[in-house]
Amino acid sequence: MSGLTYEEKKELITRNLQEVLGEDKLDAILKERDLKIYWGTATTGRPHVAYFVPMSKIADFLKAGCEVTILFADLHAYLDNMKAPWSLLELRAQYYEAVIKEMLSSIGVPLDRLKFVKGTDYQLSREYSLDVYKLSSVVTQHDARKAGAEVVKQVEYPLLSGLLYPGLQALDEEYLKVDAQFGGVDQRKIFTFAEKSLPQLGYEKRIHLMNPMVPGLAGGKMSSSEEDSKIDLLDTPADVKKKLKKAFCEPGNVKDNGLLSFVQHVLFSLFKEGEGFAVSRAPENGGDKTFNNYEDLEEEFASNKLHPADLKATVEKYINQLLDPIRKAFESSQLQKLSSAAYPIAKKEQDGPDRLDIRVGKVVQVSRHPDAEKLYILQIDLGEGEVRTIISGLVAYVTAEKLDQCLVAVLCNLKPSKMRGILSEGMVLCTSNAAHTTVEPLIVPSSAAAGTRLTFQGYDGQPDEQLNPKKKTWEKLFVDFKTNDDGIAVWKNSFLLTPNGEKLTSRLANCCIK
């Protein structure tokens, strides 16, 4: 944008970023000319609403006069544990290009000032391949694995492809002829790897601009593979309402609040002069109010003057405004056909463990059942805004004091049923020895947030809305749900994991879980 001073351009480029590596170089370039930046995205799962975070920064870069390249990293998607099958690489890249162009258009970013590049357009060239070989001769397996630890899927015996991933991303900086790479702070290890590795091939190191990670709706990282944590760009208004209703939004809690982070990093960066975050609410709840800066909004929520329900309703309004033009564009038969081809619906395993909706819960109140001496009435926070009542037969095995404020794993999609006159809305998963003399809840990692969905390694389907008791799905599955020799929770040989890859455990080895 012409007419901006060096200081104004730098402010636009760096605002809302968590970290900048190479700030001196950034200053030097901006004093002479406009910056050349690239942002890359691996074409794996469907882009979701969190993609508006980098899109809003790309809008900032363009306002600052930067030359911006968007890389659709199709080859990277295959190398990362084959998250995109080779046969779908081209289709996924086409889908990403179509949907990201619509996203940028929806926030008023002119496409004629951007360059779109597909990784396989140059990453299969003779020159690039030679540099990959040269890089492999100076990089250790340890350094390659460490560099990709936060980005590439980690497994006990990694494929060579995953070890190549960080090196290819480093080389992209040279082959795209940019001054800087932009990405999330989860890519910091790859960025520092690039700064160390490129000079070893005779190339200069680049500037690295890092966005903070925006929490998902359930807390933790927003992920394409974690359905409850994200809103798809083609979700209907009803889908948006349903997912926001389940979103983790504890009154007064501004930490790990995905809704507030979205407002801060997307909406406030897109508001034009004179616009603000306009909350509509009943007079008895404080009446309508417009927040002209994020700090005032956060303070109002932290002091419990803004109710989570009003925050959710307002965010819902703005998200639908962003998604409406994208939904409309994808009404075309051509784009619908592309969407179906790029993401074919896989046949769901008839009775796979991904049918179970298992989430982290925090016990907030424990009391004895008035009509059953062996039963507890547990009030459990599952990040839904309201606690669930769950009846558990743990009185003889675990004290109320030990259960209170404890993190537990809860099976959430059983049909609610009355137990001695009180409706139970789930089941606390426990291990039991063969004699049933020792029973205790699974041990949940302390870093997991209430409402976080737990998944089984290798299974990424979506859970049933509610398990049909007539089909006995749970009864069939729990036969293979147990702890292994090390006391780790598994279904057959698949670990039960948090989104961060942490395993659930028990003091009881080789015991059933139910």
Side-chain angles (χ1 to χ4, degrees), residues 95 129 143 295 389 410 418 466 509 511:
Y95 179 86
S129 297
D143 287 349
E295 290 72 24
T389 298
V410 179
K418 285 190 176 182
Q466 186 177 99
C511 289

Side-chain angles (χ1 to χ4, degrees), residues 239-250:
D239 292 330
V240 173
K241 182 180 288 291
K242 179 181 176 182
K243 289 179 179 179
L244 287 178
K245 186 177 180 181
K246 293 181 179 180
F248 177 76
C249 192
E250 185 179 32

